[in-house]
Amino acid sequence: MSTVPARSLGFLAAAGLALLTTAFALGAPVASADPGYDHGLTARTILSGLTLTHTFTEAGTSTVRQEALADPDDITRLGRDIFVGFQNGVNPQGQPSSSRNLDSTVVEMTPDGQPVAQWDIEGKADGVTADPQAGFVIATVNEDANSSLYTITPGPGGGVQHYSYSEPLPHLGGTDAISILNGQILISASAPGTTGTPAQAAPQPTYPAVYSVTLDPSTSVATVTPLFYDEDPAVAANVGPTWGQTVKLALTDPDSNEIVPPDATRFAGDFMLTSQGDQQQIFVDPSDPSHKLRVLSLSQSVDDTAWPGEQGVLYATDSTNDAVVAVTGDFPDGPVVAATPCGANSAPATCPDPPKFPPNYLGSLNPWSGQVTALSVGGVPFVPQGGLLFVSDRQHQDQP
């Protein structure tokens, strides 16, 4: 394990001396995001959905209409370009929007926000992730039920292919975020129990939390295999009294996922699933046959996660303002998250409800304590919701 700079120890001061003492007794490094440090982060809008339109046929009619794009969510990068899924008001089981639209739109844009191309796909686009080896973008639709996925191959000779899952999804929900690890497609099994009876409400030990998916382009079938389940055992990863104890998961909201960068302070190279409502992140090495899980409990509900690590740009979606923004500045050490207080299972029906349940904000995450600390972001009004994508200056330079 790598050691963290001494200045980062200040993060745990609020947690009390007992927690800090426990961390050192267990031999664990202590990481921090330095909540008292002004990182000089600034957000600027690089693309507004209001500047783009798509054409659709009203559900149940032959009426063709045009409307502006809305509700940007997940975001990814293929080559030099950025791809964003706009959900356009489509509902989580694929039901039409208030304008009777059934289609989301995936937009390709340059790093400075200039549109390059766009594709409509039927359903609510939730996960949008690039597979660089295959040369396409994968998009899942309908996070609660009636789910399927698409591949989008940009450029001449490319196009859209629609895939159906190989079986009714056994967790009785939909699919959401996507990660690619060593060619393996990993997809969150979101909204477990949505189509079941009250007795089948989540969590259930037979509900997969994540699927490993293989695509057959000749049949347009996506074959799903469970990676791990909603009630599997996991090792508690928070520094403190529960450190190293085996606990049983009880996941009700598998949502975003990521591959932790190989140079991260902790969990390097692991696949990470965020269970948003449960305020937990689960880590696993998919190449390990035992699939041993570690679980980090968070002080706040979060959506997406990114690891800045060096100079570059954090791209983020803001569905409140129908915008894609670029955040620059001196990023903190460790993960940066889109904190979503109203996404917690404990959130009140009327939310935001400050101070305990404020609006969404950009935050830093201590990967040892699970503490989320708000970051100050200047520039345009910015409400992070959905995707985060960090692209370093070096990555920009490496692409032709």
Side-chain angles (χ1 to χ4, degrees):
M1 296 180 180
S2 58
T3 304
V4 182
R7 65 184 177 85
S8 66
L9 295 178
F11 190 100
L12 286 180
L17 181 60
L19 179 58
L20 187 60
T21 302
T22 302
F24 281 111
L26 291 167
V30 182
S32 166
D34 298 321
Y37 177 68
D38 181 3
H39 297 275
L41 300 180
T42 303
R44 60 186 176 89
T45 299
I46 61 171
L47 180 68
S48 170
L50 297 177
T51 66
L52 301 175
T53 61
H54 79 125
T55 302
F56 66 96
T57 302
E58 286 188 11
T61 76
S62 58
T63 302
V64 177
R65 291 181 55 191
Q66 190 176 76
E67 67 179 0
L69 303 188
D71 310 317
D73 190 61
D74 211 359
I75 185 168
T76 191
R77 175 174 176 261
L78 181 63
R80 286 190 63 86
D81 284 349
I82 309 297
F83 294 75
V84 181
F86 286 81
Q87 297 171 335
N88 299 332
V90 179
N91 286 287
Q93 297 186 30
Q95 311 99 312
S97 68
S98 59
S99 64
R100 306 301 297 166
N101 163 59
L102 290 168
D103 298 334
S104 295
T105 306
V106 177
V107 174
E108 177 184 4
M109 66 182 187
T110 63
D112 60 359
Q114 295 300 311
V116 175
Q118 65 183 60
W119 301 265
D120 274 10
I121 54 177
E122 185 174 342
K124 180 185 179 184
D126 288 294
V128 177
T129 294
D131 187 335
Q133 185 175 355
F136 53 54
V137 169
I138 304 173
T140 61
V141 294
N142 305 339
E143 62 188 335
D144 284 6
N146 307 314
S147 191
S148 60
L149 67 81
Y150 295 82
T151 59
I152 300 171
T153 304
V160 178
Q161 184 165 359
H162 186 207
Y163 288 78
S164 299
Y165 291 118
S166 55
E167 60 183 276
L169 296 176
H171 74 290
L172 306 181
T175 53
D176 202 308
I178 314 153
S179 288
I180 311 294
L181 182 60
N182 299 325
Q184 186 178 13
I185 302 170
L186 302 171
I187 300 180
S188 299
S190 57
T194 296
T195 62
T197 66
Q200 294 172 307
Q204 297 284 341
T206 59
Y207 287 174
V210 177
Y211 295 107
S212 175
V213 178
T214 56
L215 304 180
D216 185 344
S218 65
T219 61
S220 295
V221 171
T223 300
V224 296
T225 303
L227 182 68
F228 63 89
Y229 294 82
D230 287 348
E231 292 193 2
D232 276 358
V235 175
N238 293 72
V239 170
T242 63
W243 172 283
Q245 294 181 10
T246 298
V247 298
K248 187 174 78 168
L249 298 176
L251 305 182
T252 63
D253 190 22
D255 191 84
S256 64
N257 60 55
E258 300 288 344
I259 305 302
V260 182
D263 58 352
T265 301
R266 198 178 186 202
F267 308 114
D270 280 2
F271 168 79
M272 180 196 77
L273 171 71
T274 298
S275 193
Q276 184 175 12
D278 303 307
Q279 298 178 221
Q280 291 181 325
Q281 290 182 332
I282 298 89
F283 300 84
V284 61
D285 177 0
S287 65
D288 178 4
S290 68
H291 286 171
K292 184 177 180 180
L293 307 179
R294 291 182 287 176
V295 56
L296 183 71
S297 296
L298 309 180
S299 66
Q300 185 59 267
S301 168
V302 306
D303 197 343
D304 215 7
T305 306
W307 288 259
E310 54 185 298
Q311 290 298 310
V313 180
L314 179 69
Y315 295 94
T317 54
D318 178 353
S319 59
T320 299
N321 296 297
D322 291 331
V324 181
V325 304
V327 182
T328 54
D330 181 12
F331 290 98
D333 295 334
V336 170
V337 296
T340 53
C342 293
N345 289 341
S346 59
T350 301
C351 200
D353 184 20
K356 187 174 181 180
F357 295 95
N360 294 359
Y361 58 88
L362 196 67
S364 59
L365 171 63
N366 184 311
W368 294 94
S369 69
Q371 181 69 35
V372 176
T373 303
L375 293 170
S376 176
V377 182
V380 299
F382 171 44
V383 184
Q385 175 67 50
L388 296 178
L389 170 71
F390 182 77
V391 181
S392 70
D393 292 342
R394 174 183 52 80
Q395 287 173 311
H396 272 311
Q397 294 166 1
D398 288 346
Q399 290 296 328

